[in-house]
Amino acid sequence: MASPANNPTQEDRVEGQSGPAGPSCLHTAWSRFLKGVSYFSGDMEVFGKWMEKQFLLLQLLDWVLRGAAQVMFVNNPLSGLVIFAGLILQNYWWALNGFVGTLFATISALILQQSRGAIAAGLYGYNGILVGLLMAVFSNAALTCPCSPIVSSALASINTRWDLPVFTLPFNILVCLHMVATGHYNHHFPQVLIQPRSELPNITWSEIDVAKLFRSIPVGIGQVYGCDNPWTGGIFIISLFISSPITCVHAVLGSAVGMVSGLALSAPFEDIYFGLWGYNCVLACIAVGGMFYALTWQVHLLAITCAFFCAYLGSAIANIMSRFGLPACTWPFCLSALTFLLLTTGSKRIFKLPLANVTYPEKNLAFYWKLKKQEKAEKAAKESQEQLNAEITLNEKEQLKLELQRIEEGRQGSENNNTNVEETNRGDNSTELVLADYV
């Protein structure tokens, strides 16, 4: 008969059953929280699937918003809406030009029957908004916006051979084409006059404004869209955080790297305050820091290195293109990012994602971890299979050795029997000879 000390009561049973329920409830609550966040963060996949069943005009609005955010590698309509709010804060006319440019570029892609998935992700709209915005900044016309899907499609057919994105190359080509074709002295399409520096800048380090230096970080992020308002840059930072905190952090780091590089190269303080040293570095740091590479600490350092390289390349390209009356646009970002994406290395910690699997940094990192787990599982299965094969081979060798020993023992036994028979026969013959001699 069990003693009361060893016999659990009903209360003990209830406590024992409710013990593991705590972590389970916490895990369930965390899963629900992540599911709720996923409705408005990341690429809003659930919202995108729901939008597929809606009428075309509503879908078109979603594509335009995603196209506006794709300038920062963000596939999120809520982020796009926040970005347009920032553009309205900067300048109503610029915001209108950006919206029209994105809309025309998206409609042109539909007319050309481009990939519906790429259109829905805003990949044919972001060059359109840049052309619309920068044409509003440098000129009074944005006639080249509908051409951006044509140039994008043409460049994609080339870049996909090396599994590379198009980036903002169509925007750079179209802006430079328009400005070269019309020129500064034009009655219908007047432009901003861009000239090379003709005198040494007056740089007095004691006059540097630290507050403006820190303000140049959000301004540098805003300059991706041609905006110099720090509040607009702050709104853009919020839009990035909504979709991806990793993207937001690398955008801020890229702008800071651009500011430091401008100081290192003794650039005019006004150019640094104006964010002109930051915007290309922002895009380069985002592209390498978790977007097209799975984020590890090695990739994080690589992204910062790419931002520094982009800043120095931007200074060189700006000096060259100013002699032709052209802005640097985002040529430094495109060239530096493509250079770092073509990097070859033996390190397994620097993993370039296939272009078809690129989404946003957090999901890219999950994809990388999944691949690593699969590799570990395959490696463990391969090792166990090799160990099993080795054991089977060893057992077969041992069995063969035992059989050889048995055969050898059998041979020795038969030889011993033959020897005994011969000795017996010899003994009998000698006995017969002795008897014969006796007789």
Side-chain angles (χ1 to χ4, degrees), residues 29-338:
W30 179 250
S31 299
R32 289 178 178 175
F33 172 75
L34 292 179
K35 185 177 180 181
V37 170
S38 68
Y39 286 126
F40 61 86
S41 67
D43 55 2
M44 294 182 64
E45 184 178 0
V46 176
F47 179 79
K49 290 181 179 179
W50 175 81
M51 189 61 68
E52 292 176 357
K53 303 176 183 178
Q54 308 306 312
F55 58 95
L56 183 60
L57 289 179
L58 195 59
Q59 290 184 26
L60 191 60
L61 178 61
D62 175 60
W63 300 341
V64 168
L65 293 177
R66 289 179 186 268
Q70 278 286 7
V71 177
M72 295 278 203
F73 305 102
V74 171
N75 181 16
N76 188 305
L78 181 59
S79 297
L81 186 63
V82 175
I83 286 171
F84 272 116
L87 291 175
I88 292 173
L89 178 64
Q90 172 72 31
N91 188 302
Y92 290 100
W93 172 246
W94 290 6
L96 179 60
N97 272 273
F99 182 83
V100 172
T102 315
L103 181 64
F104 280 6
T106 304
I107 293 175
S108 298
L110 286 172
I111 294 173
L112 294 172
Q113 296 184 353
Q114 299 298 308
S115 171
R116 183 57 69 93
I119 295 173
L123 296 179
Y124 284 98
Y126 69 93
N127 280 294
I129 188 174
L130 286 177
V131 172
L133 287 172
L134 271 296
M135 285 293 97
V137 173
F138 294 114
S139 180
N140 289 338
L143 302 178
T144 55
C145 293
C147 299
S148 63
I150 300 173
V151 182
S152 297
S153 180
L155 291 176
S157 63
I158 299 173
N159 286 18
T160 50
R161 297 180 182 181
W162 293 278
D163 202 32
L164 293 173
V166 175
F167 288 137
T168 55
L169 287 173
F171 153 69
N172 293 323
I173 293 172
L174 292 174
V175 169
C176 291
L177 176 65
H178 174 79
M179 295 188 72
V180 171
T182 56
H184 171 66
Y185 301 101
N186 192 295
H187 292 288
H188 299 287
F189 307 107
Q191 299 177 11
V192 174
L193 180 61
I194 299 175
Q195 293 179 335
R197 190 183 302 164
S198 58
E199 59 183 7
L200 290 174
N202 185 15
I203 298 175
T204 306
W205 291 100
S206 60
E207 296 179 359
I208 192 169
D209 192 335
V210 179
K212 287 185 178 180
L213 278 181
F214 281 102
R215 194 180 69 176
S216 69
I217 294 177
V219 172
I221 296 174
Q223 282 289 2
V224 173
Y225 293 87
C227 301
D228 60 349
N229 189 334
W231 293 105
T232 299
I235 291 174
F236 292 166
I237 292 174
I238 294 172
S239 71
L240 296 178
F241 186 81
I242 290 173
S243 176
S244 170
I246 295 176
T247 299
C248 180
V249 169
H250 281 90
V252 174
L253 282 175
S255 186
V257 166
M259 179 260 291
V260 172
S261 300
L263 293 175
L265 290 177
S266 298
F269 293 152
E270 291 301 322
D271 290 351
I272 300 174
Y273 300 154
F274 201 59
L276 298 181
W277 279 82
Y279 70 95
N280 276 300
C281 301
V282 168
L283 295 174
C285 197
I286 293 174
V288 177
M291 183 56 65
F292 296 97
Y293 283 106
L295 185 63
T296 58
W297 68 267
Q298 292 91 339
V299 169
H300 179 68
L301 295 178
L302 188 68
I304 296 175
T305 305
C306 181
F308 275 110
F309 177 77
C310 181
Y312 281 75
L313 183 62
S315 178
I317 291 178
N319 289 333
I320 293 173
M321 298 191 70
S322 63
R323 298 189 177 276
F324 300 95
L326 295 174
C329 295
T330 57
W331 285 109
F333 149 64
C334 292
L335 297 178
S336 59
L338 289 174

